[in-house]
Amino acid sequence: MKKQSIYLVFTFLLLIPYLCSLTLIGICYNALVRHSSNIFRSLVGALVGAIIMFAIKATIQRPLNLVSDEVPNNLFKQILRFYSIRRRKLLLIYNFLVDFALCWFAMDLVREFFSLSFIIGNSVGIVLLIMLISTCIGAYIEYDNLSIDPRQK
């Protein structure tokens, strides 16, 4: 896989959907919880969000492993490994805590920058559309390398 393709696949297949997932967690939390700025409720929301992010990361393990095997840059390989949930327990806990903090941050950002009518209205559809388009572009760029179909190799 060419270096440029690796960065494009990372951006469209991993990074943008990850940011969209965080945004969706923030939107859904703020749409469902009446007093979303309460510390205890934010703690529970971030915990649930981190669990959801963990589940999402489980679905991207194969493409992640295929892309990270092709990366020559060690720093970029470590960034890719952030998404991996097949690691030592200490790194897995750290990964979960980072997701927890990012979910809390996303909930606060959504509450700060969007009105309640926008959060309840069009926001989920817009973010899902961005995620779908991004995932389609990322999969199209390197379908042959990311495919599980043995005839493609």
Side-chain angles (χ1 to χ4, degrees):
M1 196 182 307
K2 292 187 286 184
K3 187 176 181 179
Q4 181 181 8
S5 293
I6 292 170
Y7 291 122
L8 287 173
V9 168
F10 170 74
T11 301
F12 288 110
L13 200 59
L14 299 171
L15 185 62
I16 292 173
Y18 182 77
L19 295 174
C20 287
S21 297
L22 287 171
T23 306
L24 282 173
I25 288 168
I27 289 169
C28 293
Y29 171 76
N30 285 293
L32 293 173
V33 178
R34 184 175 180 141
H35 300 288
S36 58
S37 60
N38 180 296
I39 298 279
F40 178 72
R41 291 180 181 177
S42 293
L43 177 76
V44 172
L47 180 65
V48 171
I51 291 169
I52 291 169
M53 293 305 290
F54 186 82
I56 289 170
K57 287 179 181 179
T59 64
I60 63 167
Q61 290 307 297
R62 176 167 170 72
L64 180 68
N65 291 338
L66 291 172
V67 170
S68 65
D69 288 344
E70 301 289 328
V71 174
N73 185 337
N74 200 23
L75 175 66
F76 188 59
K77 188 176 278 200
Q78 293 305 316
I79 292 171
L80 282 171
R81 287 185 177 170
F82 166 75
Y83 291 93
S84 179
I85 59 170
R86 296 179 183 161
R87 301 183 63 186
R88 293 188 306 246
K89 213 174 249 190
L90 181 64
L91 294 174
L92 194 62
I93 292 169
Y94 173 71
N95 192 318
F96 185 82
L97 291 174
V98 168
D99 281 339
F100 177 85
L102 289 174
C103 287
W104 194 313
F105 184 65
M107 291 181 319
D108 286 346
L109 277 180
V110 166
R111 184 175 44 253
E112 185 70 30
F113 288 106
F114 297 134
S115 67
L116 187 58
S117 63
F118 180 75
I119 290 171
I120 294 172
N122 300 328
S123 59
V124 171
I126 292 169
V127 174
L128 284 175
L129 181 63
I130 292 168
M131 186 184 290
L132 174 68
I133 291 170
S134 173
T135 305
C136 289
I137 291 170
Y140 176 76
I141 291 170
E142 282 297 326
Y143 176 78
D144 291 339
N145 289 328
L146 299 175
S147 176
I148 59 173
D149 186 1
R151 293 174 287 167
Q152 295 292 328
K153 301 292 178 189

